[in-house]
Amino acid sequence: MHPLRELTLEDLRRRTSVKWREYDPDVLPLWVAEMDVRLAEPIARAVNAAVAEGDTGYPHGTAYAEAFVAFASQRWSWTVDPGRTSLVADVMTGIVEAIRLVSSPGDPVVVNPPVYPPFFGYVEHAGRNVVEAPLGDHGRLDLDALEAAFIRAGSEGRPVTYLLCNPQNPTAVVHTAEELGGVAALAQTYAVRVVVDEIHAPLVAEGFVPYLTVPGAANAFSLVSATKAWNLAGMKAALLVAGEDAAADLARLPEIVGHGPSHFGDLAHTTAFREGGDWLDALHADLADNRKLLADLLAEHLPAARWGEGPGTFLAWIDCRDLGLGDDPAEAFLERGRVAVNSGLPFHNGAGHVRLNFGTTPDVLTEAVERMGRVV
């Protein structure tokens, strides 16, 4: 089984999702976080059976939570109480709802740029104010910068929330138990509530540490989903998980929030966590091969580019500042190379960088980096 080697470019060109329709047909799209894979067979079987039965109503029950509980226990030795979970439409919706539970409009929310751009937009849409604590060397958490941001954010006496990305998007860094323990200690010292986006967690083959397993993190929230690891962006659903000391806050979550996910989303994500393990393991192997391939291609065609080779996602955060392409090299790669990658600018602290999605076939990845090399 090789999920990333099953489709041809012709197959992919027939897709109608944003990744393959946003740009002209001659552009190779290595941008938005969709993978170029077929749906895992157990998920396809479950969804197709529901369609055949006309089972297209509203979601019901706690199957998603139960499936995730078993997955988290097996993969990460994380014991999750299904009673401290709530179904939400997607991870970003859940993040906003968690922030609303522990803060009020006008309160500060700390983030670590470069980070997923919707962190800024969703926080601002919720009426909160973003405070930045930039990442340190090699895209890792800088606890000194984080402490300074906590102090700055709380200087007017308002409650502070910290929105953490674990693993980090776009750098693909997998935070260590020591780093996360440092976060929890700071959060306790400064009375900061932590909300964690762990949507990419299942993509980490080994070494992932759920934030809620760290001592001192019991009053935090985690958002989890099968979206990224099983390529289910078109079937939205996620879980909001509360630490033991956050259960009372979760109990205040409006019942209406659980109306967001679709029945197909609930079904697909439940099946992914319950039956998608073999497919996920095969994906891990293919992603490891593509990381090695990307490193070799960059060395050959863009030797002045720098990449940390983070193992946390299928996304590569590439430093292109020595390529002579200015603050937005993605523009040059698109216009002159016909390759679409994400500009680093919307991630904040990302000038001169691009985010490249290597969750594609080896042939597409090879052709894309060769084109990028010809631009330089």
Side-chain angles (χ1 to χ4, degrees):
M1 188 189 310
H2 288 285
L4 286 172
R5 301 180 193 176
E6 295 178 356
L7 296 169
T8 66
L9 185 56
E10 183 180 1
D11 294 329
L12 294 167
R13 291 286 185 204
R14 290 196 293 269
R15 295 194 163 183
T16 60
S17 63
V18 66
K19 181 179 182 181
W20 286 93
R21 290 301 173 98
E22 181 71 11
Y23 296 99
D24 293 334
D26 65 321
V27 172
L28 291 178
L30 273 65
W31 62 297
V32 70
E34 297 178 24
M35 287 189 293
D36 296 333
V37 294
R38 297 188 192 280
L39 199 58
E41 195 277 332
I43 302 173
R45 184 173 64 245
V47 172
N48 287 334
V51 171
E53 294 292 333
D55 184 10
T56 56
Y58 297 104
H60 173 72
T62 59
Y64 189 162
E66 293 163 6
F68 177 75
V69 166
F71 179 90
S73 175
Q74 178 186 9
R75 296 275 172 157
W76 306 320
S77 299
W78 177 18
T79 300
V80 179
D81 180 351
R84 293 202 304 269
T85 69
S86 181
L87 192 63
V88 293
D90 55 32
V91 164
M92 289 309 305
T93 298
I95 283 172
V96 169
E97 295 299 336
I99 290 173
R100 285 174 173 157
L101 289 174
V102 298
S103 68
S104 301
D107 287 346
V109 177
V110 175
V111 301
N112 302 120
V115 73
Y116 183 51
F119 274 26
F120 300 94
Y122 274 84
V123 168
E124 291 165 358
H125 182 66
R128 275 64 173 173
N129 299 319
V130 173
V131 176
E132 297 188 8
L135 295 174
D137 294 340
H138 310 295
R140 305 209 69 91
L141 293 173
D142 183 335
L143 295 181
D144 290 336
L146 187 62
E147 181 175 25
F150 285 174
I151 294 171
R152 187 167 69 252
S155 62
E156 296 181 1
R158 286 181 170 272
V160 179
T161 307
Y162 173 37
L163 179 50
L164 171 64
C165 197
N166 178 40
Q168 184 79 18
N169 174 9
T171 65
V173 163
V174 180
H175 307 309
T176 66
E178 182 179 4
E179 289 169 328
L180 295 176
V183 168
L186 288 174
Q188 286 186 313
T189 298
Y190 295 101
V192 173
R193 299 299 296 274
V194 181
V195 179
V196 191
D197 173 359
E198 297 185 322
I199 193 171
H200 288 97
L203 288 163
V204 182
E206 56 184 20
F208 174 70
V209 180
Y211 182 73
L212 290 179
T213 66
V214 173
N219 71 342
F221 293 94
S222 171
L223 276 300
V224 297
S225 169
T227 297
K228 297 306 178 188
W230 285 273
N231 210 47
L232 299 176
M235 290 182 275
K236 288 180 178 290
L239 285 175
L240 173 58
V241 183
E244 184 176 0
D245 294 344
D249 294 311
L250 184 64
R252 294 187 288 104
L253 188 72
E255 185 268 344
I256 194 69
V257 171
H259 293 198
S262 74
H263 177 50
F264 284 143
D266 184 45
L267 178 63
H269 289 243
T270 299
T271 306
F273 283 123
R274 182 180 290 159
E275 303 179 43
D278 290 345
W279 188 93
L280 180 63
D281 291 337
L283 176 70
H284 286 162
D286 280 359
L287 288 175
D289 288 345
N290 273 13
R291 281 190 194 91
K292 176 63 166 60
L293 175 61
L294 178 57
D296 292 343
L297 290 168
L298 291 174
E300 179 179 357
H301 300 287
L302 291 167
R306 297 188 295 271
W307 171 41
E309 302 187 39
T313 68
F314 50 82
L315 306 168
W317 184 243
I318 303 174
D319 185 344
C320 301
R321 287 176 291 182
D322 291 340
L323 301 184
L325 299 176
D327 285 347
D328 192 11
E331 183 177 10
F333 290 137
L334 176 61
E335 295 303 320
R336 291 154 49 192
R338 311 309 287 163
V339 176
V341 291
N342 287 101
S343 167
L345 297 177
F347 294 83
H348 293 218
N349 285 17
H353 292 70
V354 301
R355 192 189 73 172
L356 181 149
N357 176 353
F358 60 86
T360 187
T361 70
D363 288 345
V364 169
L365 181 60
T366 298
E367 172 64 20
V369 179
E370 289 176 351
R371 290 186 187 187
M372 294 166 69
R374 288 195 290 271
V375 169
V376 177

